[in-house]
Amino acid sequence: MHTGTKVFLIISAALLPLALIALFATLQTTRIVDVESRARLRVAASEGARSLANELVGDMTALRVALDTLEDDPDNRPGCARVQGVFAQQYAAGTQFAVHGVGGKLLCGNAIPYPMPVRHQNQRFGVSIIDGKGLLLSVRGTRPGAYALAFFPTDFLARVARPSGFMPPYAAMIEYDHSQLHLATLTQRGPLDRREQLALPLGFDGVKLNMAVRSAPITSPMLVSMLLPLLMWAAAAGIAWFVVDRLLIRPLRKLGRTVSAYRPGEVIELPLGALPAKEIRELSLSFQDLTRTVQAHESDLAEGLVRQTRLTREVHHRVKNNLQVIASLINFHARSAKNGQVTQAYATIQRRVDALAVVHRYHYAEMEDHRGLELRSVIGELASNLRATAPTEASKLGIMLDLDPYLVSQDTAVAVAFLLTELVELAMQCNPAAIVNISLKPGDHDKQAMLRVSSGALTPGPVFDEMEATRYGRVLTGLARQLRAKLHRDPLVGSYEIPIAVKGLA
């Protein structure tokens, strides 16, 4: 996790409780206002429901008394007058009543153009809401077909249900059996408009008065007060992250990328400007001074390496020249020798000096590459020198080469050159016209190659056995020990095999 992210999370965790406390305090204030509004609504709804129930039940009780009187005596005018007196004050508001005797004959009041509500079992009155107009109540008489109706218009019911001294705007409706009669309405003020609602029964036949008032509105200042703690928390965490990222993290990351891409000999120059921290700018300048010092040291080391390489090349060149001088002196003395054995001894020494000179020449040529000596070239030139320095009776000596281009170290090349010289010379001693096969092929793994020398002259015989036992055997064993491997001999085909360490293919 990046440091900027860690800083952001730490500051967020530290400031979030404070933001939540402020948010909960604002919510608690809003909740208290809602509780107060709910309490006022309960008082107003109780008063309105009580007034409405008293009015409706009182009117319907008077209507039942008139129905009972007129049902027994249809000509009883005082009974009709009494109920008319009850409803007299309500006529102006549109309230109507009608008393029907046996057979549905109108005995008192005015005909109401609405069907009689159905009174269910265990109900005192039949109730019907006339959509948008008012409430229709009915009572039935004891005789068939006798009933009474009372229609209460919406405006009258709204005036009766209005609580006294209740100033806030409210909504009110009468509910009965999934039907509603709106007495007062509240306009919607948008998606954030909130309302407190309370439904109270009127005390008869499941009729309810439902009132609603607006809760504390969610206004812009309230939203700001609720969201401001969270906005401050987010802003504080974001500003802290921005400051840490711009002053510390981003310059350090840029400096780290520059240092990672640094190559010896270069100078780190990282213009950070004035925004990053002073300490990071000083660190960048320190890296710049350090790389300049390293560059100066690299230049000194490069010059020293050049001088050392020149000296080494000069040493190898002089060794090569000295070996050539020694070979020339040996050749000069061999020509002046009058004894054949002395001449042969000089030739033997010259061949070994030539083998060493070949290795030094190729090592001198490959010094700047440092990859190693290509053994195929070394063995090829060595074979040419061996054929050139062979005695006259060995003029038919043949050397067949089958070599892969492997690279070896100088020590391995010297040992291989001496080993091949000994084996070829042993073959010449046994048979001057011998054919010698030399091969260099892959070994058991990538860092190993198999060197093989085979010739019919290397099979057991009187001359071979004597030479191998008295002179060449110990030399071959010593060279194999120098190569750190075991020299395998197959006497049936006259072959020698030894694994040698290689650096790879050329």
Side-chain angles (χ1 to χ4, degrees):
M1 188 180 296
H2 293 297
T3 305
T5 305
K6 292 181 181 179
V7 171
F8 178 79
L9 293 178
I10 292 172
I11 295 178
S12 298
L15 297 180
L16 184 59
L18 301 178
L20 293 178
I21 291 173
L23 177 62
F24 289 150
T26 304
L27 293 176
Q28 184 63 25
T29 303
T30 305
R31 192 177 294 112
I32 292 174
V33 175
D34 291 341
V35 170
E36 295 176 353
S37 177
R38 193 178 300 114
R40 291 195 300 269
L41 173 63
R42 180 174 294 276
V43 173
S46 299
E47 180 183 353
R50 184 169 57 252
S51 300
L52 196 58
N54 291 338
E55 181 68 29
L56 295 178
V57 172
D59 291 347
M60 294 306 294
T61 300
L63 191 62
R64 176 178 288 280
V65 172
L67 175 61
D68 293 340
T69 301
L70 295 176
E71 185 179 11
D72 295 335
D73 184 8
D75 297 327
N76 190 342
R77 297 301 175 189
C80 181
R82 282 193 298 272
V83 72
Q84 286 177 346
V86 172
F87 282 90
Q89 297 178 357
Q90 305 169 9
Y91 280 150
T95 303
Q96 300 180 18
F97 76 94
V99 179
H100 295 267
V102 177
K105 181 179 179 181
L106 181 63
L107 301 178
C108 184
N110 301 319
I112 298 176
Y114 302 116
M116 185 181 68
V118 178
R119 184 175 70 86
H120 300 287
Q121 189 177 3
N122 299 326
Q123 284 188 343
R124 297 166 60 186
F125 309 116
V127 182
S128 177
I129 292 179
I130 308 303
D131 189 20
K133 295 182 180 180
L135 180 67
L136 181 65
L137 300 179
S138 67
V139 293
R140 289 185 178 275
T142 57
R143 296 184 180 184
Y147 64 92
L149 296 175
F151 175 73
F152 301 94
T154 301
D155 293 339
F156 170 75
L157 296 174
R159 185 171 64 253
V160 173
R162 178 181 295 277
S164 59
F166 192 70
M167 299 301 295
Y170 66 92
M173 69 178 70
I174 294 177
E175 297 179 344
Y176 173 74
D177 194 20
H178 306 293
S179 298
Q180 297 176 346
L181 177 63
H182 292 275
L183 306 180
T185 58
L186 282 175
T187 58
Q188 187 73 21
R189 291 184 176 178
L192 299 181
D193 189 18
R194 300 188 306 127
R195 297 184 179 186
E196 293 290 343
Q197 188 170 337
L198 181 64
L200 294 177
L202 297 183
F204 65 91
D205 302 337
V207 182
K208 296 180 181 180
L209 175 64
N210 191 323
M211 289 189 67
V213 296
R214 289 190 177 93
S215 300
I218 301 179
T219 59
S220 299
M222 179 179 291
L223 286 177
V224 171
S225 63
M226 291 176 61
L227 297 179
L228 185 60
L230 297 178
L231 293 176
M232 293 177 63
W233 161 70
I239 292 173
W241 172 84
F242 177 80
V243 171
V244 171
D245 184 71
R246 290 303 177 92
L247 293 182
L248 300 176
I249 306 305
R250 184 172 296 184
L252 282 176
R253 192 180 297 122
K254 186 176 181 181
L255 182 60
R257 288 195 300 266
T258 304
V259 173
S260 299
Y262 170 74
R263 295 293 180 269
E266 299 178 351
V267 176
I268 294 179
E269 294 183 358
L270 187 62
L272 297 177
L275 184 60
K278 178 181 178 182
E279 292 78 5
I280 297 179
R281 295 200 303 270
E282 292 176 352
L283 179 62
S284 176
L285 294 177
S286 299
F287 273 111
Q288 185 174 347
D289 295 339
L290 178 63
T291 52
R292 285 176 178 171
T293 303
V294 171
Q295 185 184 43
H297 288 176
E298 286 285 334
S299 300
D300 295 340
L301 290 175
E303 293 178 0
L305 180 60
V306 170
R307 290 194 299 268
Q308 187 66 31
T309 302
R310 289 175 181 174
L311 291 175
T312 304
R313 289 175 63 87
E314 181 66 22
V315 169
H316 280 281
H317 181 67
R318 292 188 179 187
V319 169
K320 178 177 65 69
N321 291 340
N322 291 337
L323 289 174
Q324 289 177 350
V325 170
I326 293 172
S328 298
L329 290 175
I330 292 173
N331 187 29
F332 176 76
H333 285 287
R335 290 178 182 177
S336 62
K338 297 179 180 181
N339 190 332
Q341 292 182 352
V342 175
T343 302
Q344 186 177 357
Y346 277 126
T348 300
I349 296 173
Q350 183 181 10
R351 280 191 287 271
R352 284 150 181 78
V353 173
D354 287 341
L356 187 59
V358 169
V359 174
H360 268 282
R361 182 163 57 253
Y362 277 94
H363 180 66
Y364 173 78
E366 298 290 337
M367 277 188 60
E368 295 183 357
D369 293 339
H370 301 289
R371 298 185 306 155
L373 299 179
E374 186 180 355
L375 199 55
R376 182 169 62 180
S377 301
V378 174
I379 295 176
E381 185 171 345
L382 179 63
S384 299
N385 290 342
L386 289 174
R387 283 195 298 267
T389 59
T392 305
E393 60 272 15
S395 59
K396 294 183 179 180
L397 175 68
I399 301 178
M400 309 298 294
L401 303 178
D402 184 10
L403 309 172
D404 287 350
Y406 281 103
L407 299 173
V408 297
S409 64
Q410 182 186 10
D411 294 338
T412 302
V414 170
V416 169
F418 284 143
L419 180 65
L420 294 178
T421 302
E422 295 293 333
L423 289 174
V424 173
E425 187 174 291
L426 176 59
M428 285 191 300
Q429 294 291 338
C430 296
N431 184 5
I435 302 299
V436 181
N437 295 298
I438 302 175
S439 65
L440 183 64
K441 295 298 178 182
D444 295 336
H445 50 81
D446 295 340
K447 297 300 181 180
Q448 188 183 84
M450 185 64 67
L451 179 65
R452 187 174 188 271
V453 180
S454 63
S455 176
L458 298 178
T459 56
V463 179
F464 175 82
D465 293 340
E466 181 183 0
M467 292 287 182
E468 198 273 338
T470 60
R471 178 178 175 183
Y472 292 95
R474 287 180 297 177
V475 176
L476 293 175
T477 302
L479 292 173
R481 190 178 299 113
Q482 186 175 352
L483 290 171
R484 298 180 181 180
K486 185 177 181 181
L487 183 62
H488 300 277
R489 177 192 171 199
D490 187 353
L492 296 179
V493 298
S495 66
Y496 287 85
E497 287 184 350
I498 186 171
I500 62 174
V502 297
K503 294 184 175 181
L505 291 172

